[in-house]
Amino acid sequence: MDKTIRRGSLEMVAAMLISGTIGWLVMLSGQPVLDVVFWRCVFGTATLLLVCALMGLLRPGLLSGASLLLAILSGVAIVANWVLLFASYSRASIAIGTAVYNVQPFILVALAALFLGERITARKLGWLAVSFVGMLAIVSAHGSQEEGGGHYLQGIGLALGAALLYALAALIIKRLSGVPPHLIALIQVATGMLLLAPLANLSTLPQGSGSWGTLLTLGIVHTGLMYVLLYGAIQKLPTALTGALSFIYPIAAILVDWFAFGHRLELLQWLGVAAILIAAAGMQLGWGFGARAVAVR
């Protein structure tokens, strides 16, 4: 294996494993969701500011006014996406929230077709159908949830909302192809810090080293370091390999939820999760159904 590919693969695996433990730290912090996201943005901003300074990305002229505005808009979407996704964990579990969140590629395809005029192939529609069946399986399992069907469905709705916001952010970022990704990430978390400052409960700060430790880890490791590893991997790896390794994230999150909190999925939920992940993998990696894909509008 080429050394560049090997290094990129290791970086991608590390980034996805780090991402898979985010839900665990969110729950472990014991803080309200808005506070968790705010402090993640604060410590993430400090980390990425240092990274960008070391990479020479803070010099003037790298961003036009229009690019800065688009980066800020993507930051609003990303931060709102974190709020909804983190809120889904306590209602539908980390495993279910993460699985439902992985319908984002299909939402992105729909938005690209709607706003960018991109064509949707029959193959993509087929994988969308598989994902939809998986969603139905997960939703239909709500009746036996200990936390109550209403909270469970609310958690699924929040995860879907998070997926929509992530897809919107990705659509905006498509227009920032000439901007260094680390600088985009810095603008996003800085936007989140300023946006959430009036909403965070700053009058009652987190208590104890445990809470501060989890928040620092979320900001420094799960935001700053994770972005550095992720973007480093993306620059080194073929798109197909990047897409394949990205599925380490939901698998890791499901396993962490199982071992850390004892949340074991029922058979119907497992089938739904599997359908969504297989469909997302099939679409991103170009798997077919044995027939020639036909473009439809």
Side-chain angles (χ1 to χ4, degrees):
M1 182 186 292
D2 181 86
K3 288 184 178 180
T4 301
I5 298 295
R6 184 186 297 113
R7 181 177 175 181
S9 298
L10 291 174
E11 289 174 343
M12 188 68 183
V13 169
M16 293 301 96
L17 289 175
I18 290 172
S19 296
T21 60
I22 287 177
W24 173 54
L25 287 179
V26 169
M27 301 298 290
L28 200 63
S29 72
Q31 302 299 308
V33 169
L34 286 176
D35 290 0
V36 171
V37 177
F38 169 73
W39 289 112
R40 182 187 188 185
C41 289
V42 169
F43 298 129
T45 297
T47 305
L48 286 168
L49 188 63
L50 177 61
V51 169
C52 288
L54 293 174
M55 295 178 69
L57 299 179
L58 299 181
R59 64 184 185 273
L62 284 178
L63 274 176
S64 66
S67 294
L68 177 59
L69 179 59
L70 287 173
I72 291 172
L73 286 175
S74 73
V76 173
I78 284 291
V79 171
N81 143 77
W82 288 346
V83 171
L84 295 186
L85 181 62
F86 293 176
S88 76
Y89 293 156
S90 61
R91 294 166 173 83
S93 83
I94 295 170
I96 293 299
T98 303
V100 172
Y101 182 63
N102 273 271
V103 303
Q104 56 187 260
F106 301 100
I107 298 176
L108 181 57
V109 166
L111 291 176
L114 186 61
F115 295 108
L116 302 181
E118 295 184 6
R119 294 188 298 174
I120 303 177
T121 64
R123 175 181 58 81
K124 290 181 179 180
L125 286 176
W127 287 123
L128 176 60
V130 174
S131 178
F132 182 70
V133 170
M135 277 293 306
L136 289 180
I138 290 176
V139 169
S140 65
H142 72 87
S144 58
Q145 299 303 302
E146 292 180 1
E147 56 266 56
H151 285 170
Y152 181 75
L153 292 178
Q154 187 181 38
I156 290 176
L158 288 168
L160 281 173
L164 172 61
L165 288 167
Y166 184 89
L168 285 170
L171 201 64
I172 295 170
I173 293 171
K174 278 179 175 285
R175 298 180 176 273
L176 295 171
S177 57
V179 181
H182 300 84
L183 185 58
I184 296 175
L186 171 60
I187 293 171
Q188 289 174 338
V189 291
T191 298
M193 179 180 66
L194 297 175
L195 189 66
L196 293 178
L199 304 175
N201 186 16
L202 299 180
S203 60
T204 306
L205 297 177
Q207 300 296 311
S209 58
S211 293
W212 280 115
T214 56
L215 295 174
L216 277 166
T217 304
L218 275 171
I220 297 173
V221 178
H222 290 73
T223 305
L225 176 61
M226 192 272 289
Y227 272 122
V228 170
L229 291 171
L230 177 62
Y231 291 142
I234 289 172
Q235 291 171 348
K236 299 178 182 72
L237 298 177
T239 302
L241 184 54
T242 301
L245 293 176
S246 68
F247 288 94
I248 293 174
Y249 158 53
I251 294 171
I254 290 170
L255 292 177
V256 167
D257 196 26
W258 186 348
F259 287 109
F261 301 106
H263 291 156
R264 291 169 171 78
L265 302 183
E266 299 175 2
L267 177 59
L268 192 58
Q269 291 173 313
W270 273 118
L271 292 174
V273 168
I276 289 174
L277 297 185
I278 289 172
M283 195 191 71
Q284 291 192 30
L285 301 179
W287 297 343
F289 291 92
R292 185 179 177 182
V294 180
V296 293
R297 293 189 183 274

PDB file of all heavy atoms in Angstrom, residues 207-229:
ATOM      1  N   GLN A 207     -19.655  22.258  37.033  1.00  0.00           N
ATOM      2  CA  GLN A 207     -18.978  22.025  38.293  1.00  0.00           C
ATOM      3  C   GLN A 207     -18.143  20.749  38.221  1.00  0.00           C
ATOM      4  O   GLN A 207     -18.577  19.749  37.664  1.00  0.00           O
ATOM      5  CB  GLN A 207     -20.003  21.893  39.433  1.00  0.00           C
ATOM      6  CG  GLN A 207     -20.877  23.111  39.631  1.00  0.00           C
ATOM      7  CD  GLN A 207     -20.081  24.336  40.046  1.00  0.00           C
ATOM      8  OE1 GLN A 207     -19.252  24.283  40.964  1.00  0.00           O
ATOM      9  NE2 GLN A 207     -20.318  25.456  39.373  1.00  0.00           N
ATOM     10  N   GLY A 208     -16.960  20.818  38.787  1.00  0.00           N
ATOM     11  CA  GLY A 208     -16.134  19.623  38.894  1.00  0.00           C
ATOM     12  C   GLY A 208     -15.222  19.425  37.697  1.00  0.00           C
ATOM     13  O   GLY A 208     -15.509  19.857  36.583  1.00  0.00           O
ATOM     14  N   SER A 209     -14.111  18.729  37.958  1.00  0.00           N
ATOM     15  CA  SER A 209     -13.131  18.477  36.901  1.00  0.00           C
ATOM     16  C   SER A 209     -13.667  17.525  35.843  1.00  0.00           C
ATOM     17  O   SER A 209     -13.243  17.583  34.684  1.00  0.00           O
ATOM     18  CB  SER A 209     -11.854  17.904  37.513  1.00  0.00           C
ATOM     19  OG  SER A 209     -12.134  16.697  38.225  1.00  0.00           O
ATOM     20  N   GLY A 210     -14.613  16.659  36.234  1.00  0.00           N
ATOM     21  CA  GLY A 210     -15.166  15.703  35.279  1.00  0.00           C
ATOM     22  C   GLY A 210     -15.916  16.392  34.151  1.00  0.00           C
ATOM     23  O   GLY A 210     -15.712  16.085  32.971  1.00  0.00           O
ATOM     24  N   SER A 211     -16.777  17.341  34.510  1.00  0.00           N
ATOM     25  CA  SER A 211     -17.554  18.063  33.496  1.00  0.00           C
ATOM     26  C   SER A 211     -16.652  18.887  32.596  1.00  0.00           C
ATOM     27  O   SER A 211     -16.791  18.879  31.371  1.00  0.00           O
ATOM     28  CB  SER A 211     -18.580  18.975  34.170  1.00  0.00           C
ATOM     29  OG  SER A 211     -19.573  18.215  34.831  1.00  0.00           O
ATOM     30  N   TRP A 212     -15.705  19.602  33.211  1.00  0.00           N
ATOM     31  CA  TRP A 212     -14.798  20.414  32.411  1.00  0.00           C
ATOM     32  C   TRP A 212     -13.904  19.541  31.533  1.00  0.00           C
ATOM     33  O   TRP A 212     -13.582  19.902  30.389  1.00  0.00           O
ATOM     34  CB  TRP A 212     -13.928  21.293  33.311  1.00  0.00           C
ATOM     35  CG  TRP A 212     -14.627  22.518  33.804  1.00  0.00           C
ATOM     36  CD1 TRP A 212     -14.945  22.828  35.093  1.00  0.00           C
ATOM     37  CD2 TRP A 212     -15.100  23.619  33.010  1.00  0.00           C
ATOM     38  NE1 TRP A 212     -15.593  24.039  35.163  1.00  0.00           N
ATOM     39  CE2 TRP A 212     -15.698  24.551  33.899  1.00  0.00           C
ATOM     40  CE3 TRP A 212     -15.098  23.904  31.654  1.00  0.00           C
ATOM     41  CZ2 TRP A 212     -16.273  25.738  33.458  1.00  0.00           C
ATOM     42  CZ3 TRP A 212     -15.668  25.087  31.207  1.00  0.00           C
ATOM     43  CH2 TRP A 212     -16.240  25.986  32.100  1.00  0.00           C
ATOM     44  N   GLY A 213     -13.532  18.387  32.056  1.00  0.00           N
ATOM     45  CA  GLY A 213     -12.697  17.473  31.276  1.00  0.00           C
ATOM     46  C   GLY A 213     -13.396  16.981  30.023  1.00  0.00           C
ATOM     47  O   GLY A 213     -12.793  16.930  28.939  1.00  0.00           O
ATOM     48  N   THR A 214     -14.689  16.633  30.146  1.00  0.00           N
ATOM     49  CA  THR A 214     -15.429  16.166  28.973  1.00  0.00           C
ATOM     50  C   THR A 214     -15.628  17.291  27.964  1.00  0.00           C
ATOM     51  O   THR A 214     -15.523  17.068  26.753  1.00  0.00           O
ATOM     52  CB  THR A 214     -16.798  15.590  29.378  1.00  0.00           C
ATOM     53  OG1 THR A 214     -17.540  16.577  30.123  1.00  0.00           O
ATOM     54  CG2 THR A 214     -16.652  14.351  30.231  1.00  0.00           C
ATOM     55  N   LEU A 215     -15.894  18.498  28.448  1.00  0.00           N
ATOM     56  CA  LEU A 215     -16.101  19.628  27.539  1.00  0.00           C
ATOM     57  C   LEU A 215     -14.806  20.014  26.826  1.00  0.00           C
ATOM     58  O   LEU A 215     -14.814  20.319  25.623  1.00  0.00           O
ATOM     59  CB  LEU A 215     -16.655  20.827  28.318  1.00  0.00           C
ATOM     60  CG  LEU A 215     -18.057  20.638  28.917  1.00  0.00           C
ATOM     61  CD1 LEU A 215     -18.432  21.833  29.793  1.00  0.00           C
ATOM     62  CD2 LEU A 215     -19.098  20.437  27.823  1.00  0.00           C
ATOM     63  N   LEU A 216     -13.697  19.992  27.567  1.00  0.00           N
ATOM     64  CA  LEU A 216     -12.405  20.263  26.939  1.00  0.00           C
ATOM     65  C   LEU A 216     -12.072  19.212  25.890  1.00  0.00           C
ATOM     66  O   LEU A 216     -11.571  19.537  24.808  1.00  0.00           O
ATOM     67  CB  LEU A 216     -11.309  20.292  28.015  1.00  0.00           C
ATOM     68  CG  LEU A 216     -11.127  21.602  28.776  1.00  0.00           C
ATOM     69  CD1 LEU A 216     -10.257  21.380  30.021  1.00  0.00           C
ATOM     70  CD2 LEU A 216     -10.493  22.665  27.883  1.00  0.00           C
ATOM     71  N   THR A 217     -12.358  17.971  26.197  1.00  0.00           N
ATOM     72  CA  THR A 217     -12.090  16.885  25.252  1.00  0.00           C
ATOM     73  C   THR A 217     -12.943  17.034  24.002  1.00  0.00           C
ATOM     74  O   THR A 217     -12.462  16.839  22.878  1.00  0.00           O
ATOM     75  CB  THR A 217     -12.363  15.518  25.911  1.00  0.00           C
ATOM     76  OG1 THR A 217     -11.571  15.405  27.098  1.00  0.00           O
ATOM     77  CG2 THR A 217     -12.010  14.380  24.967  1.00  0.00           C
ATOM     78  N   LEU A 218     -14.215  17.395  24.184  1.00  0.00           N
ATOM     79  CA  LEU A 218     -15.091  17.608  23.027  1.00  0.00           C
ATOM     80  C   LEU A 218     -14.580  18.721  22.126  1.00  0.00           C
ATOM     81  O   LEU A 218     -14.657  18.624  20.895  1.00  0.00           O
ATOM     82  CB  LEU A 218     -16.511  17.946  23.503  1.00  0.00           C
ATOM     83  CG  LEU A 218     -17.435  16.780  23.830  1.00  0.00           C
ATOM     84  CD1 LEU A 218     -18.707  17.292  24.503  1.00  0.00           C
ATOM     85  CD2 LEU A 218     -17.782  15.993  22.575  1.00  0.00           C
ATOM     86  N   GLY A 219     -14.055  19.783  22.737  1.00  0.00           N
ATOM     87  CA  GLY A 219     -13.587  20.908  21.944  1.00  0.00           C
ATOM     88  C   GLY A 219     -12.234  20.688  21.310  1.00  0.00           C
ATOM     89  O   GLY A 219     -12.039  20.955  20.120  1.00  0.00           O
ATOM     90  N   ILE A 220     -11.285  20.158  22.106  1.00  0.00           N
ATOM     91  CA  ILE A 220      -9.914  20.009  21.620  1.00  0.00           C
ATOM     92  C   ILE A 220      -9.746  18.759  20.756  1.00  0.00           C
ATOM     93  O   ILE A 220      -9.221  18.823  19.635  1.00  0.00           O
ATOM     94  CB  ILE A 220      -8.928  19.973  22.806  1.00  0.00           C
ATOM     95  CG1 ILE A 220      -8.968  21.310  23.568  1.00  0.00           C
ATOM     96  CG2 ILE A 220      -7.509  19.680  22.323  1.00  0.00           C
ATOM     97  CD1 ILE A 220      -8.168  21.312  24.851  1.00  0.00           C
ATOM     98  N   VAL A 221     -10.189  17.618  21.285  1.00  0.00           N
ATOM     99  CA  VAL A 221      -9.980  16.340  20.584  1.00  0.00           C
ATOM    100  C   VAL A 221     -11.058  16.089  19.539  1.00  0.00           C
ATOM    101  O   VAL A 221     -10.763  15.822  18.368  1.00  0.00           O
ATOM    102  CB  VAL A 221      -9.937  15.160  21.590  1.00  0.00           C
ATOM    103  CG1 VAL A 221      -9.780  13.829  20.847  1.00  0.00           C
ATOM    104  CG2 VAL A 221      -8.802  15.355  22.577  1.00  0.00           C
ATOM    105  N   HIS A 222     -12.350  16.189  19.958  1.00  0.00           N
ATOM    106  CA  HIS A 222     -13.455  15.806  19.077  1.00  0.00           C
ATOM    107  C   HIS A 222     -13.848  16.903  18.094  1.00  0.00           C
ATOM    108  O   HIS A 222     -14.751  16.695  17.282  1.00  0.00           O
ATOM    109  CB  HIS A 222     -14.667  15.397  19.918  1.00  0.00           C
ATOM    110  CG  HIS A 222     -14.464  14.103  20.642  1.00  0.00           C
ATOM    111  ND1 HIS A 222     -13.640  14.006  21.733  1.00  0.00           N
ATOM    112  CD2 HIS A 222     -14.961  12.856  20.417  1.00  0.00           C
ATOM    113  CE1 HIS A 222     -13.645  12.748  22.159  1.00  0.00           C
ATOM    114  NE2 HIS A 222     -14.423  12.045  21.384  1.00  0.00           N
ATOM    115  N   THR A 223     -13.216  18.059  18.187  1.00  0.00           N
ATOM    116  CA  THR A 223     -13.461  19.121  17.198  1.00  0.00           C
ATOM    117  C   THR A 223     -12.149  19.489  16.509  1.00  0.00           C
ATOM    118  O   THR A 223     -11.966  19.229  15.327  1.00  0.00           O
ATOM    119  CB  THR A 223     -14.098  20.345  17.860  1.00  0.00           C
ATOM    120  OG1 THR A 223     -15.284  19.945  18.564  1.00  0.00           O
ATOM    121  CG2 THR A 223     -14.491  21.386  16.812  1.00  0.00           C
ATOM    122  N   GLY A 224     -11.198  20.068  17.280  1.00  0.00           N
ATOM    123  CA  GLY A 224      -9.942  20.496  16.680  1.00  0.00           C
ATOM    124  C   GLY A 224      -9.151  19.364  16.054  1.00  0.00           C
ATOM    125  O   GLY A 224      -8.865  19.369  14.847  1.00  0.00           O
ATOM    126  N   LEU A 225      -8.767  18.370  16.858  1.00  0.00           N
ATOM    127  CA  LEU A 225      -7.970  17.257  16.358  1.00  0.00           C
ATOM    128  C   LEU A 225      -8.721  16.453  15.310  1.00  0.00           C
ATOM    129  O   LEU A 225      -8.150  16.042  14.290  1.00  0.00           O
ATOM    130  CB  LEU A 225      -7.549  16.353  17.523  1.00  0.00           C
ATOM    131  CG  LEU A 225      -6.772  15.087  17.137  1.00  0.00           C
ATOM    132  CD1 LEU A 225      -5.468  15.455  16.431  1.00  0.00           C
ATOM    133  CD2 LEU A 225      -6.497  14.233  18.377  1.00  0.00           C
ATOM    134  N   MET A 226     -10.015  16.221  15.545  1.00  0.00           N
ATOM    135  CA  MET A 226     -10.791  15.427  14.601  1.00  0.00           C
ATOM    136  C   MET A 226     -10.859  16.082  13.225  1.00  0.00           C
ATOM    137  O   MET A 226     -10.707  15.417  12.190  1.00  0.00           O
ATOM    138  CB  MET A 226     -12.204  15.204  15.148  1.00  0.00           C
ATOM    139  CG  MET A 226     -13.018  14.162  14.383  1.00  0.00           C
ATOM    140  SD  MET A 226     -13.922  14.842  12.975  1.00  0.00           S
ATOM    141  CE  MET A 226     -15.183  15.787  13.815  1.00  0.00           C
ATOM    142  N   TYR A 227     -11.045  17.404  13.184  1.00  0.00           N
ATOM    143  CA  TYR A 227     -11.076  18.109  11.896  1.00  0.00           C
ATOM    144  C   TYR A 227      -9.724  18.010  11.189  1.00  0.00           C
ATOM    145  O   TYR A 227      -9.655  17.825   9.974  1.00  0.00           O
ATOM    146  CB  TYR A 227     -11.445  19.582  12.089  1.00  0.00           C
ATOM    147  CG  TYR A 227     -12.928  19.861  12.063  1.00  0.00           C
ATOM    148  CD1 TYR A 227     -13.569  20.467  13.137  1.00  0.00           C
ATOM    149  CD2 TYR A 227     -13.689  19.538  10.944  1.00  0.00           C
ATOM    150  CE1 TYR A 227     -14.932  20.737  13.109  1.00  0.00           C
ATOM    151  CE2 TYR A 227     -15.050  19.805  10.907  1.00  0.00           C
ATOM    152  CZ  TYR A 227     -15.659  20.407  11.996  1.00  0.00           C
ATOM    153  OH  TYR A 227     -17.006  20.672  11.961  1.00  0.00           O
ATOM    154  N   VAL A 228      -8.622  18.160  11.945  1.00  0.00           N
ATOM    155  CA  VAL A 228      -7.285  18.069  11.351  1.00  0.00           C
ATOM    156  C   VAL A 228      -7.073  16.688  10.734  1.00  0.00           C
ATOM    157  O   VAL A 228      -6.591  16.554   9.600  1.00  0.00           O
ATOM    158  CB  VAL A 228      -6.202  18.370  12.409  1.00  0.00           C
ATOM    159  CG1 VAL A 228      -4.813  18.049  11.865  1.00  0.00           C
ATOM    160  CG2 VAL A 228      -6.270  19.828  12.840  1.00  0.00           C
ATOM    161  N   LEU A 229      -7.432  15.635  11.482  1.00  0.00           N
ATOM    162  CA  LEU A 229      -7.288  14.271  10.972  1.00  0.00           C
ATOM    163  C   LEU A 229      -8.191  14.033   9.766  1.00  0.00           C
ATOM    164  O   LEU A 229      -7.760  13.455   8.756  1.00  0.00           O
ATOM    165  CB  LEU A 229      -7.621  13.265  12.081  1.00  0.00           C
ATOM    166  CG  LEU A 229      -6.637  13.173  13.245  1.00  0.00           C
ATOM    167  CD1 LEU A 229      -7.213  12.315  14.359  1.00  0.00           C
ATOM    168  CD2 LEU A 229      -5.309  12.605  12.781  1.00  0.00           C
TER     169      LEU A 229
END
